Amino acid sequence: MTLAEKTLTTRLDDLRGDAPATRHNARTIAALTANPGCARRALLDAAAVDKTVIARELGFPAKFGQSPFAITRGNTFEAMVKAHGCAELLRLLREELGLTIPEVGYHDLETVGDNASNSVRYQRTKQLLGQALTSGQGTLFDHPMLRLEIAGATAYLEPDVVALQIGGLFHVVEIKSFAVVDGQADPAQVASAARQSAVYVLAMRELLRELGQSPELVAHNSILVCAKDFTNRPTAALVDLRKQLAVIGRQLSRLTSIDTLLDLVPPDASFTPGEGLADTVAAIPSRYAPECMSSCELAFACRSEARTQGSVDTLGRGVCDDLGGIDNLDTVLALAEGTLDPGPEHADIAEMLRRARALRLEVAR
Ligand code: SF4
């Protein structure tokens, strides 16, 4: 089979090779949009490669992620809110948010019979949500399977949310175990939950489009359920996602086509662990930024590579902007020390660097 005859899916499967596969979820998609210019991450994610394994194989294991304790606490909290057909969730929606939910139909979409495959669950989700819109029947849809096009490749989302239909409008319900104390929650955790909910809203809107329905039938408000104060009791709040929907929608539409990125990879290269993996990864351009440290498993590997190359990317986007396209630290230092003559386009930046160096030497004296 020639390269041109291979489908995108086949090419991505070949690229993944024997590397362990992983699934996209809203967190990985929200993180993907945090660095939309990184071809390396885009390809690894499109090929559904487990980046944690790749980082470990490269000798730079990821050092972030939820602790086992936090994961267990999160799972226990979610199970409690969803127990008995989401009884506690319904109480919250009625009593705390004042929603009128007269009749409840509950569907668990985690499996379809014994079949837990993505495509079967997606078709079942589509069928039930479609029926709910036309008949008005069905209120709670637990673990709906959704999907999104990411840079030309279809990604299924591993959902842990509930889709709630009230009066013909769907809402995404996100359950998180972080605490809301005296009505206040950690802004970073709320922002992260809002980004994830926005990904689900976008995916649900895509599903409604496929059904020939208006995407606006998915509300731009999500319902965030958290732990109240320092207890295990849940509380709920509406979160306006309009800003996140605009930002993530725009960034997803800007992601470079995976077809184009695949052309950057040497023929026959794969992410199979072992000999050759480091060369394959190194052949794909990356775009390291300090923000990668909190959002991508390959951060330590890419930071080391950027440092070895003397890239100014290690200093952050703000500094890169100030340096006006000078991309190498040796060049920056030489301009600051006056040992390199700047071209006319960098004369003002060189002057700024020389002044900054003089000030630093003055303070250090
Ligand atoms: S850590 Fe590396 S692969 Fe991940 S987004 Fe940053 S530059 Fe890209």
Side-chain angles (χ1 to χ4, degrees):
M1 192 187 286
T2 66
L3 194 63
E5 288 166 339
K6 285 188 176 180
T7 64
L8 178 62
T9 309
T10 313
R11 290 178 75 189
L12 289 171
D13 285 347
D14 288 351
L15 182 60
R16 185 170 67 248
D18 293 331
T22 188
R23 283 176 174 176
H24 264 300
N25 55 37
R27 187 186 66 78
T28 63
I29 290 173
L32 177 64
T33 61
N35 194 352
C38 180
R40 185 175 292 172
R41 175 168 192 148
L43 274 174
L44 281 157
D45 283 338
V49 175
D50 187 339
K51 294 193 293 300
T52 309
V53 174
I54 300 297
R56 198 169 57 231
E57 286 287 320
L58 293 175
F60 294 92
K63 292 178 186 161
F64 69 87
Q66 278 189 303
S67 72
F69 171 74
I71 291 171
T72 305
R73 176 177 152 73
N75 290 342
T76 307
F77 183 73
E78 185 187 328
M80 187 263 292
V81 174
K82 287 185 176 177
H84 310 299
C86 294
E88 184 64 17
L89 176 61
L90 281 167
R91 183 197 65 75
L92 275 176
L93 298 174
R94 286 175 175 142
E95 293 178 12
E96 294 206 11
L97 296 184
L99 298 175
T100 311
I101 309 175
E103 192 185 324
V104 174
Y106 171 81
H107 298 277
D108 187 350
L109 292 157
E110 193 160 18
T111 58
V112 180
D114 289 336
N115 196 327
S117 81
N118 290 346
S119 56
V120 170
R121 284 178 61 198
Y122 177 74
Q123 290 306 328
R124 181 68 176 147
T125 300
K126 196 166 139 186
Q127 181 192 25
L128 285 180
L129 294 193
Q131 282 173 4
L133 280 176
T134 49
S135 70
Q137 310 249 310
T139 309
L140 294 165
F141 302 88
D142 196 357
H143 296 110
M145 178 55 86
L146 304 170
R147 66 184 193 193
L148 264 183
E149 287 285 306
I150 308 292
T154 300
Y156 284 96
L157 297 179
E158 183 68 65
D160 58 359
V161 295
V162 176
L164 164 76
Q165 190 202 205
I166 325 169
L169 205 60
F170 286 109
H171 292 73
V172 164
V173 182
E174 185 94 51
I175 301 168
K176 298 285 182 192
S177 61
F178 60 79
V180 176
V181 181
D182 290 335
Q184 301 288 320
D186 176 358
Q189 288 186 305
V190 175
S192 168
R195 279 195 298 274
Q196 291 176 31
S197 296
V199 171
Y200 288 128
V201 169
L202 289 171
M204 281 190 67
R205 287 182 171 178
E206 276 309 308
L207 186 143
L208 290 206
R209 271 194 200 96
E210 276 194 37
L211 285 167
Q213 300 279 356
S214 166
E216 297 308 313
L217 291 174
V218 184
H220 61 254
N221 288 326
S222 70
I223 296 168
L224 179 61
V225 177
C226 295
K228 189 170 187 176
D229 300 326
F230 296 107
T231 69
N232 249 354
R233 280 188 302 130
T235 184
L238 283 171
V239 181
D240 188 337
L241 302 175
R242 275 175 290 190
K243 191 169 140 225
Q244 289 82 358
L245 288 168
V247 170
I248 295 176
R250 195 166 51 240
Q251 287 176 335
L252 283 176
S253 69
R254 277 189 195 157
L255 289 177
T256 312
S257 152
I258 288 297
D259 260 336
T260 312
L261 296 181
L262 275 168
D263 294 338
L264 300 171
V265 184
D268 302 326
S270 93
F271 292 123
T272 299
E275 215 180 310
L277 174 63
D279 289 342
T280 302
V281 173
I284 305 169
S286 61
R287 195 165 170 238
Y288 176 78
E291 296 80 40
C292 294
M293 297 303 284
S294 61
S295 60
C296 182
E297 293 83 348
L298 284 182
F300 286 91
C302 293
R303 185 179 66 175
S304 168
E305 179 188 70
R307 281 179 176 168
T308 307
Q309 293 167 347
S311 168
V312 296
D313 288 343
T314 52
L315 303 176
R317 299 258 155 81
V319 178
C320 290
D321 289 346
D322 287 344
L323 290 173
I326 302 171
D327 57 6
N328 188 278
L329 285 172
D330 288 339
T331 308
V332 173
L333 290 174
L335 288 173
E337 288 160 3
T339 55
L340 180 71
D341 275 338
E345 74 278 19
H346 290 139
D348 52 343
I349 293 170
E351 174 60 24
M352 179 186 74
L353 287 168
R354 279 195 294 270
R355 256 191 274 139
R357 180 171 183 270
L359 274 174
R360 186 174 181 280
L361 291 177
E362 180 92 20
V363 170
R365 225 183 260 157

